[in-house]
Amino acid sequence: MVRQPTRAGVRDAAAKIARILPPTPLYVVRLGGADVAFKAESLQPVGAFKIRGAWHRLTALDEATRAKGVVAFSSGNHAQGIAWAAKRLGMPATIVMPADAPAAKRDGTLALGAEIVTYDRATGNREQIAGSLAEARGATLVPSFDDPWVIEGQGSTGIEAAAQMQDAGLPPPARMVTPCGGGGLAAGLALALPEAAITVVEPAGWDDMRRSLEAGWIEPVGPNPPPTACDALQTQRVSALTFDVLSRRGAEGVAVSEAETAAAQRWAAEKLRLVIEPGGAVALAALLAGKVKPEPGMLVLLSGGNVDLAAYARAMAG
Amino acid sequence: MVRQPTRAGVRDAAAKIARILPPTPLYVVRLGGADVAFKAESLQPVGAFKIRGAWHRLTALDEATRAKGVVAFSSGNHAQGIAWAAKRLGMPATIVMPADAPAAKRDGTLALGAEIVTYDRATGNREQIAGSLAEARGATLVPSFDDPWVIEGQGSTGIEAAAQMQDAGLPPPARMVTPCGGGGLAAGLALALPEAAITVVEPAGWDDMRRSLEAGWIEPVGPNPPPTACDALQTQRVSALTFDVLSRRGAEGVAVSEAETAAAQRWAAEKLRLVIEPGGAVALAALLAGKVKPEPGMLVLLSGGNVDLAAYARAMAG
């Protein structure tokens, strides 16, 4: 049987991460009569919460396994999270990326000392390439969300945020609102804070978790999903691990438009002075668009801040 | 004789501020072969370091004086810093602002509970209006830089950053590079860290501190200074208090162009995921433009993050 992520695992992850990374800032803003807490995971090294799951997963490996290295496939934040954690542990890291990945993300991953293996997005299968590489080298393959350690690691931000909310004199988290791609962060948060309700937010047309939660079984995205600026949330299908946690918990799903997401990016720039990438801004977008009602004890995740400057300039221009 | 700002005063300010505000984040980036530390004062409540000088100044007043309130003139960050500190101390605050001040800054100041008195930029004299108001009410007038407490308060960021650099395993601050308007922050930093050299950076054409430091006496900006996006640094003439501290210390001055400043804003968005206003980005601009050479122990101030979104979008578009 597959290992299931647990609350104890999330707490263990939080303790491990507290030893190497300072808490990301928490900002409290009065919105619709309630004090809403915003957790700025965009300010992690590498600019996203992904560093948490990567650290928890790689530190769970024994020395001999670590020496054989790690393989991941991702063109974005997960790649850099894995590369960062591997570098710090002195592990070789190989990232499988499409040949047309943005230069900034390629360069960021290379700067962290990872090897990059490229494939043709039209003809190659990245899961297969990564799997074969890992097998040939005896390296550990770390998926971006379908993994109990990764889920537990991402959830550590909930433990951290709850402590910060207490320090700020706020009530305990009553509802968490979080961006959702494959659901690793959302499931981790659900495990971290069992007393809080949870709302997951996705881009319209990519709301497979919302549809799955409503159906009661896993539904992939429909055929030909629309273009979205939320590159970090373009997951075709959530995993059993993340879906089960969120479904058992009664999580709710909400979808937001591209315009609502860009408006949230502008709000974050003006009010919080933070650069938030589209996929990192959808939870805030749901609030600002009135799709989620602010309430006391609300915790909103700003999950990443890695932007393409040209696209960001367009979002700022409105 | 006018009270002079002192190092002991800066240390006192740092201790007082540590009791109410968490340290702003410090980010270390490898640049030109050196680890350079960036201090994100843009992430203060109200989005700028000005909150420090305001807090140190207002907390130095006795209860009876506090009850009579505070008056300041500013259309920007100093106004919000004073309003924030006054609100926290339960003091009435009056801010003298030009009638055409940006709506966002007006609203921010009003939201902090301050009263706003407007004047016509063409015909009114804000110093005179603020002075008369303060006199009539027995309130304390707090200048934005020409004040020993304000200078000491701003310098507290240097004490905070030095401790963070030590925690990060960096050498002690060897050179501080800071944006400079009237010189309050720069003079405070010089007092805070007497072992470190200091470079002040101004927008081209508004480099009165640079010219004054070279001349050995106070030189105002020339007639018809060019337009600049650095609204926070448009000081016509530095004060004796700030000039004396920096001049005795052998501070150097550098000027940067508008294009160099916008490039620094883009770099901060992409590499640090921070929204930095033009005036807050000039020290970084001097580094990126090669006008200041990165060196071990370098501390660079990112002093503010309050942007006008339309102008920010243009800067991002490059």
Side-chain angles (χ1 to χ4, degrees), chain B residues 216-313:
Chain B
W217 55 78
I218 293 177
E219 292 261 2
V221 296
N224 307 316
T228 175
C230 301
D231 56 278
L233 306 182
Q234 286 179 285
T235 311
Q236 302 268 353
R237 189 191 168 87
V238 302
S239 80
L241 276 181
T242 57
F243 173 72
D244 287 352
V245 168
L246 292 167
S247 176
R248 280 199 304 267
R249 182 62 166 281
E252 290 166 23
V254 163
V256 293
S257 72
E258 297 294 299
E260 287 163 349
T261 298
Q265 289 183 283
R266 287 194 294 279
W267 190 94
E270 194 169 27
K271 307 289 186 195
L272 301 177
R273 297 107 193 168
L274 294 176
V275 173
I276 305 295
E277 63 183 272
V282 294
L284 170 60
L287 240 82
L288 297 179
K291 295 180 173 176
V292 170
K293 203 177 141 347
E295 59 179 270
M298 182 164 274
L299 170 63
V300 178
L301 274 289
L302 300 170
S303 52
N306 290 316
V307 296
D308 170 77
L309 274 183
Y312 189 62

Side-chain angles (χ1 to χ4, degrees), chain A:
Chain A
M1 189 189 153
V2 176
R3 176 176 173 252
Q4 296 296 309
T6 65
R7 186 173 190 218
V10 176
R11 297 184 71 88
D12 177 42
K16 286 200 293 188
I17 287 159
R19 286 197 288 273
I20 61 154
L21 288 170
T24 52
L26 185 91
Y27 298 101
V28 182
V29 180
R30 189 112 190 132
L31 265 184
D35 286 325
V36 177
F38 293 92
K39 182 71 169 156
E41 287 291 298
S42 57
L43 295 178
Q44 288 286 13
V46 317
F49 68 94
K50 295 283 188 180
I51 204 165
R52 296 176 177 273
W55 185 252
H56 185 51
R57 167 71 276 208
L58 297 187
T59 51
L61 302 173
D62 61 37
E63 286 297 327
T65 310
R66 282 188 204 173
K68 293 182 187 152
V70 57
V71 175
F73 49 88
S74 155
S75 55
N77 294 334
H78 177 57
Q80 294 193 62
I82 289 287
W84 186 92
K87 183 182 182 191
R88 189 152 175 141
L89 292 168
M91 290 175 65
T94 308
I95 309 293
V96 178
M97 271 192 183
D100 61 353
K105 289 183 174 174
R106 257 184 84 92
D107 294 350
T109 308
L110 284 174
L112 289 163
E115 178 193 354
I116 292 181
V117 171
T118 55
Y119 70 96
D120 182 333
R121 210 192 273 269
T123 60
N125 177 321
R126 63 183 194 167
E127 286 87 342
Q128 216 165 62
I129 297 167
S132 310
L133 266 174
E135 202 173 296
R137 299 180 183 183
T140 303
L141 181 67
V142 180
S144 61
F145 58 86
D146 188 23
D147 179 283
W149 285 273
V150 169
I151 292 169
E152 289 169 352
Q154 319 302 32
S156 65
T157 189
I159 307 281
E160 203 176 278
Q164 290 171 306
M165 288 172 73
Q166 188 172 21
D167 287 349
L170 296 177
R175 178 173 295 274
M176 301 176 281
V177 189
T178 182
C180 182
L185 174 60
L189 286 169
L191 291 168
L193 301 173
E195 309 298 325
I198 182 158
T199 302
V200 304
V201 186
E202 295 165 301
W206 292 89
D207 50 344
D208 50 321
M209 184 65 91
R210 186 188 69 74
R211 284 152 31 105
S212 302
L213 290 170
E214 285 187 6
W217 55 78
I218 293 177
E219 292 262 2
V221 294
N224 307 315
T228 174
C230 301
D231 56 281
L233 306 181
Q234 285 180 284
T235 312
Q236 301 268 353
R237 188 189 169 88
V238 302
S239 80
L241 277 182
T242 56
F243 172 72
D244 287 354
V245 169
L246 292 168
S247 176
R248 279 201 304 268
R249 182 61 166 279
E252 291 167 21
V254 164
V256 293
S257 72
E258 298 294 298
E260 287 163 350
T261 299
Q265 288 184 283
R266 287 194 294 279
W267 191 93
E270 194 170 27
K271 306 289 186 195
L272 301 177
R273 298 107 194 168
L274 294 176
V275 174
I276 306 294
E277 65 183 271
V282 294
L284 170 61
L287 239 81
L288 297 179
K291 293 177 174 179
V292 169
K293 202 177 139 354
E295 57 180 271
M298 181 162 276
L299 170 63
V300 177
L301 274 290
L302 300 171
S303 52
N306 290 316
V307 295
D308 170 77
L309 274 183
Y312 188 63
R314 287 192 297 273
M316 289 301 105

